[in-house]
Amino acid sequence: MKNIRLIYAAFFILITALWLIAEPGLLQTSDFYALRALMINYTGILAIGAMSIGMILAVRPARIEPVLGGLDKSYRLHKWLGVSALAIAILHWLWAESSGWLRDIGWLGPKVKKPVVEQTVALLNYFASQRDFAKEIGEWAFYAAVLLIVLALLKSFPYRYFFKTHRLLAVAYLALATHSVLLMKFSYWSEPIGPVLALLILGGTIAALVSVLRKVGYERRAVGVIDELFYHTDNRVLKVSLALKDRWRGHESGQFAFVTFDQREGPHPFTISSDWHDDGKLIFMIKALGDYTSTLPTALKVGAIVKVEGPYGRFCFDGEQTRQIWVAGGIGITPFISRMQTMEHLPKDKSIDLFYSTSAPDAAFLQQIQRYADVAQVRLHVAIAGKDPRVTTERICELVPQWKDASIWFCGPAGFGQALRAGFAEKGLPVEHFQQELFDMR
């Protein structure tokens, strides 16, 4: 989280600083029309810059993932930038429309037209001739982008429709990028802000084309066949075992993949619950949490073809501490199941406590987790809701007195994780020692 906060803040600070360099006379502006022009330029630059980075992150670039701490953090930054771009684009539109509104109510007089300066650069002269086209395409793309971003933010909007409509943002981006290039103030191209924006828009355009052509994650795709299904009735968890037909680059414990069981529904992210033996086998433990996942136990059949894209994520249990505390809530147990299987073949050089909180215990499921824990020499603490004491910061510190020497790894409901993070921060645990999977792709 720290890295994405820094990158988010650094982007807006950098773009603002570069814009101020290009507009040294900002503080001397007193005329409303001149101020309006400045604000239109400023908000336009911020909006297209934020959208460009968001577009690049949307295609899941593998090289950026380690810098941001995993695809889950990358998507969180993507969401922040999308919301920010939406808000700034609305401000941009309001500034553009403001003069007409103020003139209509008599608060503003007509604008004094200045002589048009003929451009000597052929390309800029062409840009000038396309201003009306750029304004029209930008306006309609703005309306479309607002609608699509709002739909993406609505949790009630079904994922299968979100998956399809969100792709259209790439088309809207291409129109807005055209709008921005054609209408950007000519003098900016010779200032530092020009090349920076050009690179951002170029990167965003390439990413948008990758999305439109449906090539996102193309090099990480594999096809598999379902070879085993087992449904844990009590906790509504479905075990799906796949035999891959394509080459898989391998994965580490704690990573996840996008799995497409139904082309109409699109890919959904699921944590990989098995370790890797270079045998083409993948296992997913899928909890019935919504309309789609609730249908999988009856919809999936052995022998069905499945598409897998991955692996992604950096929830990989590294660190210098010789003690670790793992905390799982509900289906958040899956990365720890994978890790315990991997540890069967690794030196037992860390002291590990696993706290598993569940509101729907399944006897067979719990027995399997206990077997994994025994083999991996992990101390398992199960907390059944309504029966056992809740897993809190105080409870963990009570059962693991050496918690100050540990790193904490959490996967589960966001509110649960935030409460634990805040509790340990109050007790003095360094923020970087608390690792949390932000498993929210919207």
Side-chain angles (χ1 to χ4, degrees):
M1 287 292 286
K2 183 179 179 181
N3 281 357
I4 62 174
R5 287 195 182 101
L6 288 174
I7 292 172
Y8 177 81
F11 162 74
F12 287 103
I13 292 171
L14 174 63
I15 295 298
T16 299
L18 294 176
W19 178 74
L20 289 173
I21 292 172
E23 293 289 357
L26 173 64
L27 298 179
Q28 285 74 46
T29 303
S30 56
D31 176 69
F32 176 81
Y33 285 107
L35 177 62
R36 169 181 170 273
L38 287 170
M39 290 300 100
I40 289 175
N41 288 327
Y42 178 53
T43 54
I45 285 171
L46 286 181
I48 195 62
M51 284 194 70
S52 296
I53 298 178
M55 194 70 248
I56 293 169
L57 295 176
V59 298
R60 306 194 271 272
R63 293 182 181 180
I64 294 179
E65 191 180 0
V67 177
L68 298 179
L71 187 62
D72 58 321
K73 311 298 189 300
S74 176
Y75 268 42
R76 181 62 57 90
L77 179 58
H78 167 81
K79 181 178 180 178
W80 291 353
L81 289 168
V83 172
S84 299
L86 172 63
I88 296 168
I90 292 173
L91 285 176
H92 178 77
W93 177 78
L94 289 172
W95 274 109
E97 299 293 327
S98 62
S99 60
W101 295 338
L102 292 175
R103 284 196 301 270
D104 289 343
I105 61 176
W107 288 11
L108 188 65
K111 181 180 180 181
V112 178
K113 293 187 177 181
K114 298 179 180 180
V116 177
V117 179
E118 185 70 21
Q119 292 296 324
T120 57
V121 179
L123 181 61
L124 297 183
N125 195 45
Y126 172 77
F127 286 178
S129 69
Q130 299 298 312
R131 291 183 67 82
D132 290 340
F133 166 74
K135 288 178 180 179
E136 185 172 351
I137 193 176
E139 183 175 5
W140 286 107
F142 162 73
Y143 297 143
V146 168
L147 175 62
L148 293 170
I149 294 174
V150 169
L151 287 176
L153 294 174
L154 291 176
K155 297 294 185 181
S156 58
F157 190 60
Y159 182 90
R160 61 184 177 277
Y161 300 132
F162 155 79
F163 166 70
K164 295 174 182 177
T165 58
H166 206 56
R167 269 200 195 129
L168 297 175
L169 268 173
V171 179
Y173 171 83
L174 291 172
L176 291 169
T178 302
H179 167 86
S180 300
V181 170
L182 293 176
L183 291 182
M184 193 164 80
K185 190 175 178 180
F186 296 141
S187 63
Y188 288 175
W189 293 112
S190 59
E191 299 285 347
I193 189 70
V196 171
L197 273 181
L199 286 173
L200 288 176
I201 293 174
L202 176 62
T205 299
I206 293 172
L209 292 173
V210 169
S211 179
V212 168
L213 296 173
R214 301 189 179 187
K215 297 296 184 180
V216 176
Y218 181 78
E219 295 182 352
R220 292 183 168 220
R221 295 179 191 173
V223 173
V225 176
I226 299 176
D227 65 359
E228 181 187 354
L229 293 168
F230 184 84
Y231 186 55
H232 295 272
T233 307
D234 291 343
N235 62 357
R236 299 192 304 155
V237 172
L238 176 67
K239 175 185 176 182
V240 182
S241 178
L242 302 181
L244 296 178
K245 302 179 72 173
D246 295 324
R247 184 171 179 81
W248 181 254
R249 65 182 64 199
H251 62 270
E252 297 181 43
S253 306
Q255 292 191 296
F256 65 91
F258 289 90
V259 184
T260 303
F261 295 115
D262 183 343
Q263 283 295 131
R264 294 169 298 179
E265 182 69 22
H268 281 251
F270 297 111
T271 299
I272 303 170
S273 303
S274 55
D275 60 343
W276 180 244
H277 298 292
D278 201 23
D279 57 357
K281 295 286 187 179
L282 291 181
I283 295 175
F284 297 91
M285 306 294 285
I286 302 172
K287 173 80 170 180
L289 294 174
D291 294 341
Y292 172 66
T293 49
S294 296
T295 65
L296 293 181
T298 55
L300 299 185
K301 305 297 181 184
V302 172
I305 299 296
V306 176
K307 294 181 180 179
V308 184
E309 178 198 327
Y312 295 104
R314 305 290 294 177
F315 195 76
C316 299
F317 303 95
D318 52 3
E320 298 178 355
Q321 292 80 10
T322 57
R323 179 177 292 276
Q324 290 186 348
I325 298 172
W326 301 347
V327 185
I331 199 59
I333 190 66
T334 48
F336 304 110
I337 290 176
S338 175
R339 181 61 176 176
M340 286 188 290
Q341 293 176 69
T342 301
M343 288 178 61
E344 181 180 351
H345 314 289
L346 298 176
K348 309 301 186 291
D349 56 351
K350 292 184 185 293
S351 179
I352 300 172
D353 288 83
L354 168 58
F355 291 82
Y356 176 39
S357 176
T358 177
S359 59
D362 181 280
F365 192 75
L366 291 176
Q367 289 173 5
Q368 184 64 65
I369 293 173
Q370 185 64 67
R371 285 194 289 271
Y372 288 139
D374 291 341
V375 172
Q377 297 180 20
V378 170
R379 286 178 292 277
L380 177 63
H381 311 269
V382 177
I384 300 174
K387 177 182 176 182
D388 300 316
R390 293 176 56 207
V391 178
T392 62
T393 302
E394 296 299 332
R395 180 67 173 164
I396 293 173
C397 293
E398 176 187 342
L399 295 178
V400 188
Q402 305 86 359
W403 64 268
K404 292 183 179 179
D405 302 323
S407 59
I408 299 176
W409 298 77
F410 174 86
C411 188
F416 184 11
Q418 290 166 4
L420 289 180
R421 178 186 289 272
F424 279 105
E426 288 180 5
K427 288 182 173 293
L429 185 79
V431 175
E432 60 271 17
H433 289 181
F434 193 103
Q435 303 295 326
Q436 180 176 357
E437 186 83 290
L438 304 177
F439 214 72
D440 186 2
M441 297 293 111
R442 293 181 63 176

